[in-house]
Amino acid sequence: MEYVGTALAEMTMPQISPLAGEPIERADAERLAGVLKALADPARLRLLSLIQSAPEGEACVCDLTAPLGLSQPTVSHHLRILTEAGLLEREKRGVWAYYRLVPSAIATIADLLTPPRKRATKKAR
Amino acid sequence: MEYVGTALAEMTMPQISPLAGEPIERADAERLAGVLKALADPARLRLLSLIQSAPEGEACVCDLTAPLGLSQPTVSHHLRILTEAGLLEREKRGVWAYYRLVPSAIATIADLLTPPRKRATKKAR
DNA sequence: TGCTGATATGCAGGCGGGTCGATGCTGCTG
DNA sequence: CAGCAGCATCGACCCGCCTGCATATCAGCA
């Protein structure tokens, strides 16, 4: 498909220049928008929240369907988008697929939005 | 229209519980998603960036149309969405409409995303 | 007052995306 | 080796939204 395309991961989101500073370039804007688009959905925000607060910090699809009130295919769909955005990682154990947050992925996004701080990123070029 | 409806402003975004902690509630997820949806667009990210880096931290529509490569009505449309989301404020001086960032609006969003930190927000209720 | 320029709004076209039901796949189990 | 349970994928529907063109508003000016 053609969603985000692992924006955060291989797109190397950390290279996206922050919102602050000089005007953001077109490409950066599109990458950042891609990741934010993955976040900008109630169901997906709740998924992240549910997974993050789960016992081992992980959860399988069957645990997430009920709380969200969405069908299993729809939940899998959202999990896929979050995974491809680099926000979740998937591990299949037996019949179950366990999802957990990618350590500092969300924090990285927050840093890109936050203007003046310890940002170590050199926007190079 | 029926977009975000001044999500950040009167919706009092600061009352939205952060992503971290206990599972976020449906209403909070929708409010946060609403604001993020306003951010999750390349054109709007560039608008925020352009305005923020403008001389006086403000810019009028006529200054933003060219850099974006979008029509004037489209730019006005995006500015409206950002304004209604509580990210921009508008001031009309004469024939021109000047837009500037709402001081700590974006930072507030970043805080809601960032998990464990100085968050002072008491989720009350 | 009438004209011009800066913005906002209405309208419409086209695409992207959220959702579900049906189906395919794959390990586990009897 | 059937049968079943957990997930992913497919196809389809429908709504939301980005965009531009046309038009309405409104302020400044001759």
Side-chain angles (χ1 to χ4, degrees):
Chain A
M1 50 49 221
E2 64 319 18
Y3 278 105
V4 177
T6 325
L8 232 177
E10 46 185 50
M11 283 294 253
T12 66
M13 189 188 69
Q15 292 186 2
I16 300 177
S17 59
L19 248 193
E22 48 201 53
I24 196 174
E25 299 177 18
R26 180 106 69 92
D28 284 339
E30 288 178 354
R31 279 195 285 267
L32 182 51
V35 182
L36 288 174
K37 211 163 293 200
L39 274 179
D41 181 278
R44 291 197 280 272
L45 287 176
R46 296 181 69 197
L47 279 175
L48 291 174
S49 183
L50 283 170
I51 294 175
Q52 174 266 336
S53 63
E56 299 296 329
E58 64 180 14
C60 58
V61 182
C62 57
D63 295 331
L64 301 168
T65 306
L68 279 189
L70 294 175
S71 69
Q72 174 268 315
T74 300
V75 172
S76 282
H77 170 71
H78 287 305
L79 290 173
R80 188 161 89 91
I81 292 181
L82 289 171
T83 302
E84 290 179 340
L87 299 173
L88 287 182
E89 54 189 10
R90 190 184 97 121
E91 180 192 358
K92 185 139 190 181
R93 291 202 298 268
V95 191
W96 295 275
Y98 290 91
Y99 289 86
R100 52 173 57 249
L101 297 192
V102 169
S104 58
I106 297 181
T108 301
I109 299 177
D111 279 356
L112 284 177
L113 293 179
T114 311
R117 205 165 296 194
K118 67 302 167 84
R119 311 239 64 263
T121 309
K122 51 346 191 96
K123 65 207 33 151
R125 191 230 285 92
Chain B
M1 51 46 219
E2 68 315 20
Y3 279 105
V4 177
T6 325
L8 234 176
E10 47 187 50
M11 283 293 253
T12 66
M13 189 189 70
Q15 291 185 1
I16 300 178
S17 59
L19 248 195
E22 48 202 51
I24 197 175
E25 297 176 20
R26 181 105 69 92
D28 283 340
E30 288 177 355
R31 279 196 286 267
L32 182 51
V35 182
L36 288 174
K37 210 163 294 206
L39 273 179
D41 181 277
R44 291 196 283 269
L45 288 176
R46 296 182 68 196
L47 280 174
L48 291 175
S49 182
L50 284 169
I51 294 174
Q52 174 268 335
S53 64
E56 298 296 329
E58 65 181 13
C60 60
V61 182
C62 57
D63 295 329
L64 300 169
T65 306
L68 278 189
L70 293 175
S71 70
Q72 174 268 316
T74 300
V75 171
S76 283
H77 168 71
H78 287 305
L79 290 172
R80 189 161 90 91
I81 292 182
L82 288 171
T83 302
E84 288 179 342
L87 300 173
L88 287 182
E89 53 187 12
R90 191 183 96 120
E91 180 193 356
K92 187 137 188 181
R93 292 204 296 269
V95 190
W96 295 275
Y98 290 91
Y99 289 86
R100 52 174 56 247
L101 297 194
V102 169
S104 58
I106 297 182
T108 302
I109 299 177
D111 279 356
L112 284 178
L113 293 179
T114 311
R117 206 165 295 193
K118 68 298 168 85
R119 311 238 63 265
T121 310
K122 50 348 194 94
K123 69 217 14 165
R125 189 233 285 86

